[in-house]
Amino acid sequence: MTAQIASSRVQRSSDMLAAPSLDSILALTAPGMECVNAVILTHMQSDIPLIPALAGHLISGGGKRMRPMLTVAGAELVGYAGEHQYKLAAAVEFIHTATLLHDDVVDGSDLRRGKAAANIIYGNPATVLVGDFLFSRAFQLMVGAQNLRVLDILATASAVIAEGEVDQLTAQRKVETTEAHYLDIIAAKTAALFAAACRVAAVVADRPAQEEQALDDYGRYLGVAFQLVDDAIDYDSEAAEMGKGKGDDFRDGKMTLPVILAYAAGDEEERQFWRDAIAGFLNSDEDLERAVTIIARHGTVAATRQRAEEYAQKAIAALSIFPPSPIRVAMEEAALFAVARRY
Amino acid sequence: MTAQIASSRVQRSSDMLAAPSLDSILALTAPGMECVNAVILTHMQSDIPLIPALAGHLISGGGKRMRPMLTVAGAELVGYAGEHQYKLAAAVEFIHTATLLHDDVVDGSDLRRGKAAANIIYGNPATVLVGDFLFSRAFQLMVGAQNLRVLDILATASAVIAEGEVDQLTAQRKVETTEAHYLDIIAAKTAALFAAACRVAAVVADRPAQEEQALDDYGRYLGVAFQLVDDAIDYDSEAAEMGKGKGDDFRDGKMTLPVILAYAAGDEEERQFWRDAIAGFLNSDEDLERAVTIIARHGTVAATRQRAEEYAQKAIAALSIFPPSPIRVAMEEAALFAVARRY
């Protein structure tokens, strides 16, 4: 990178509070992400044509590729000179894609990223099996990085994700779910993979434990912030429509922070509404509208975003052990973006 | 093992054609399988209670544990003095259990090993997710063996299994499925894990490539024989009821060898019956009875068992590079048992 670009990035960071974006991190990781995308395309192939067709439906469906981007950014942050980060980033994306495919089956989703979900087009059986295929491919890719600790970290993250998903399933339709339980769930189902995606960059680069931990912290806090904002947007009267069906959490009876806070702050009439709605007895468009109205009255979308902002600040603080650099600034801005986004 | 036991095993092998059984291999691997079972029990635990409950439903449900037993037997065959085979055997069983859980969701099964299938009791969502959990745990266990080649072999086998399952899904309800295609499917969905379960024993023991290959061949041929017999039993008018619902393959429109051979040998009226049945238009108990009758007339269950017998003999031949020993004899007998069994 030229000094000119570097200085323009640092310059930019001074006004990033105004409108944080992913532009910097996207630009700095673009060459690496080209390599990652090539690995993804090569390794989703199979002699069984349904596999690349179904996997491609989701993989080329325009996700943000946040997680693999974090692996590439992390490798740049620690000054890694090798090439293993591309395989690892692709593995991280495959694990994520596998969980999305299985989530769509689990939730009976109709939409994913604004398109028909894979299970709707290809059916549940193929969707489950192609998830399994991608999950296996992820481990094949990791073996390529020739590092057992990386395998341990990502295998453990995968187990924790599954635990978080089952935990969420158990908590579904239970209005008494506590904030602490909810935070446990999102730490497992979302933040664990963000943390692992970041940490493995330091591991392949053979960096000291302190740097590994700092990257893990950054990813974990960012993951929590990211999920909190996802959950806020689902009830945000001002947010644009998301890719997934708006109000899905409400109809699925998932207890997310905006609802947990609204239930805690509500009067008895509102609490009865939440009990009936989360139990699944109130799930019409009008019921969703009422939920959004109650949540707006108590300001719990804003409170959830505020909580996310605190996690984003912790993520940023975790990076302070690294010397200032354009990629560090871009990663800081990415944390702010995760919170500021409206979609 | 005492010389007395060893000699009684060798003695026994002389009359094993009369009634081959798993008794020898069960006895010789019993101490090792106790260690494996302990690893399985420890590693299926989780703070999320639904996970051990659901996993335990299948894991303690009395499967034969053929695959982990092969890893333990293989380690004994090559004289491995370490302890990594227990973790690897448990990993193999977790991979197998994960695929069974996902299969039950994919096939909409009601029964598994004579009990209600997990998806019937716990629902599809939890069944999919606990499969994912066990799959992740398998890779965590493999990491414990500290050997990247083992991870590569089992990750590749897992990807091949998923490909075989998707391939089978694609071939479902297609009466024109060829014998060659069917053999490809079972080589992938079943034999790949048998082969990997055996091969990894030679890999952790750091044995020469020739021994690795011999164990791989043994497992692969045995796996094909095992699946052929499973498929034969589903139409065998003389066989005892199996754990899974009798006639499942017929009702699911799966083209297995007894049907492929019967379709090839049938007259036009029978072919029309198969076309309608495999397409799903004929699936009553009477239709199943007619299928069994046609198959008995053409002797295609016997022909399928004959094919299995040839694979079992190839499996036995693959072991010929190893010096004679009680465990070798027991593994030979296990191959004969796989073919002779009626359940």
Side-chain angles (χ1 to χ4, degrees), chain A residues 45-48 50-51 98-99 102-103 105-107 124-130 132-133 135-137 139-140 142-143 145-149 151-152 155-160 162-167 169-170, chain B residues 45-48 50-51 98-99 102-103 105-107 124-130 132-133 135-137 139-140 142-143 145-149 151-152 155-160 162-167 169-170:
Chain A
Q45 298 309 315
S46 163
D47 289 340
I48 314 301
L50 180 55
I51 291 179
T99 64
H102 287 182
D103 276 358
V105 170
V106 165
D107 292 343
N124 282 345
T127 305
V128 169
L129 296 172
V130 173
D132 291 349
F133 173 81
F135 202 55
S136 304
R137 272 281 189 270
F139 282 91
Q140 287 183 286
M142 285 177 230
V143 170
Q146 298 285 311
N147 186 307
L148 277 164
R149 286 208 48 238
L151 275 149
D152 195 18
T156 302
S158 299
V160 170
E163 285 181 308
E165 300 264 8
V166 176
D167 198 10
L169 202 60
T170 313
Chain B
Q45 298 310 316
S46 164
D47 290 340
I48 313 302
L50 180 54
I51 290 179
T99 64
H102 287 182
D103 276 358
V105 171
V106 164
D107 291 342
N124 282 343
T127 305
V128 169
L129 296 173
V130 173
D132 291 350
F133 173 80
F135 202 54
S136 304
R137 272 282 189 270
F139 281 91
Q140 288 183 285
M142 286 177 229
V143 170
Q146 298 284 312
N147 184 308
L148 277 164
R149 285 207 49 236
L151 276 149
D152 195 17
T156 301
S158 300
V160 169
E163 286 182 308
E165 300 265 7
V166 176
D167 198 10
L169 202 62
T170 313

Side-chain angles (χ1 to χ4, degrees), chain B residues 267-280:
Chain B
D267 58 23
E268 183 45 36
E269 192 193 332
E270 286 173 5
R271 288 183 160 220
Q272 190 56 49
F273 167 77
W274 289 119
R275 277 191 286 270
D276 293 342
I278 294 302

Side-chain angles (χ1 to χ4, degrees), chain A residues 173 175 235 250-251 255 259 262-263 266-295 297-298:
Chain A
R173 306 220 168 278
V175 79
Y235 290 98
F250 179 75
R251 290 194 183 85
M255 285 298 285
V259 175
Y263 181 72
D267 58 24
E268 183 44 37
E269 191 194 332
E270 285 173 2
R271 286 183 161 222
Q272 191 55 50
F273 167 77
W274 288 119
R275 279 192 284 270
D276 293 342
I278 294 302
F281 301 121
L282 303 172
N283 53 23
S284 68
D285 286 353
E286 291 69 37
D287 296 323
L288 173 60
E289 215 169 292
R290 181 162 175 211
V292 170
T293 305
I294 296 175
I295 278 173
R297 184 184 314 141
H298 291 291

Side-chain angles (χ1 to χ4, degrees), chain A residues 33-98:
Chain A
M33 286 304 289
E34 268 189 47
C35 300
V36 173
N37 293 337
V39 175
I40 287 174
L41 273 177
T42 312
H43 287 77
M44 64 185 247
Q45 298 309 315
S46 163
D47 289 340
I48 314 301
L50 180 55
I51 291 179
L54 196 157
H57 173 74
L58 187 51
I59 287 176
S60 24
K64 289 183 280 291
R65 303 216 171 153
M66 277 292 282
R67 295 158 189 80
M69 194 162 63
L70 290 173
T71 305
V72 171
E76 166 121 11
L77 183 72
V78 299
Y80 175 53
E83 297 196 333
H84 285 326
Q85 74 275 42
Y86 308 132
K87 288 188 218 81
L88 294 179
V92 164
E93 185 68 2
F94 278 176
I95 291 173
H96 176 56
T97 306

Side-chain angles (χ1 to χ4, degrees), chain B residues 58-291:
Chain B
L58 187 51
I59 286 176
S60 24
K64 288 181 283 290
R65 301 216 174 155
M66 277 291 282
R67 295 158 189 79
M69 192 163 64
L70 291 173
T71 305
V72 172
E76 166 120 11
L77 183 71
V78 300
Y80 176 54
E83 297 196 334
H84 285 325
Q85 76 274 41
Y86 308 131
K87 289 189 217 83
L88 294 180
V92 164
E93 185 68 0
F94 278 177
I95 292 174
H96 176 57
T97 307
T99 64
L100 290 186
L101 290 173
H102 287 182
D103 276 358
D104 284 342
V105 171
V106 164
D107 291 342
S109 310
D110 295 328
L111 284 175
R112 166 73 65 186
R113 293 173 182 166
K115 299 202 299 181
N119 51 311
I120 298 298
I121 301 175
Y122 298 99
N124 282 343
T127 305
V128 169
L129 296 173
V130 173
D132 291 350
F133 173 80
L134 291 175
F135 202 54
S136 304
R137 272 282 189 270
F139 281 91
Q140 288 183 285
L141 277 166
M142 286 177 229
V143 170
Q146 298 284 312
N147 184 308
L148 277 164
R149 285 207 49 236
V150 157
L151 276 149
D152 195 17
I153 289 161
L154 283 166
T156 301
S158 300
V160 169
I161 292 168
E163 286 182 308
E165 300 265 7
V166 176
D167 198 10
Q168 176 172 267
L169 202 62
T170 313
Q172 208 164 351
R173 305 219 170 278
K174 290 194 177 147
V175 81
E176 67 273 20
T177 305
T178 63
E179 183 177 341
H181 189 183
Y182 164 78
L183 285 171
D184 282 348
I185 290 171
I186 69 174
K189 76 163 190 166
T190 307
L193 189 57
F194 274 79
C198 292
R199 179 186 278 267
V200 294
V203 175
V204 282
D206 207 15
R207 303 299 303 163
Q210 192 200 9
E211 292 189 17
E212 254 188 47
Q213 188 59 49
L215 272 172
D216 187 294
D217 288 345
Y218 169 78
R220 196 173 303 274
Y221 292 133
L222 175 58
V224 172
F226 190 86
Q227 186 62 56
L228 283 167
V229 172
D230 252 17
D231 293 348
I233 287 171
D234 215 43
Y235 289 100
D236 192 345
S237 49
E238 293 168 27
E241 290 282 324
M242 278 207 303
K244 70 171 182 164
K246 182 99 175 179
D248 273 357
D249 290 345
F250 179 74
R251 291 196 182 83
D252 291 342
K254 282 187 185 156
M255 285 300 285
T256 59
L257 195 56
V259 175
I260 291 170
L261 296 177
Y263 181 71
D267 58 23
E268 183 45 36
E269 192 193 332
E270 286 173 5
R271 288 183 160 220
Q272 190 56 49
F273 167 77
W274 289 119
R275 277 191 286 270
D276 293 342
I278 294 302
F281 301 121
L282 302 172
N283 52 22
S284 69
D285 286 353
E286 291 70 36
D287 297 322
L288 173 60
E289 215 170 292
R290 180 163 176 210

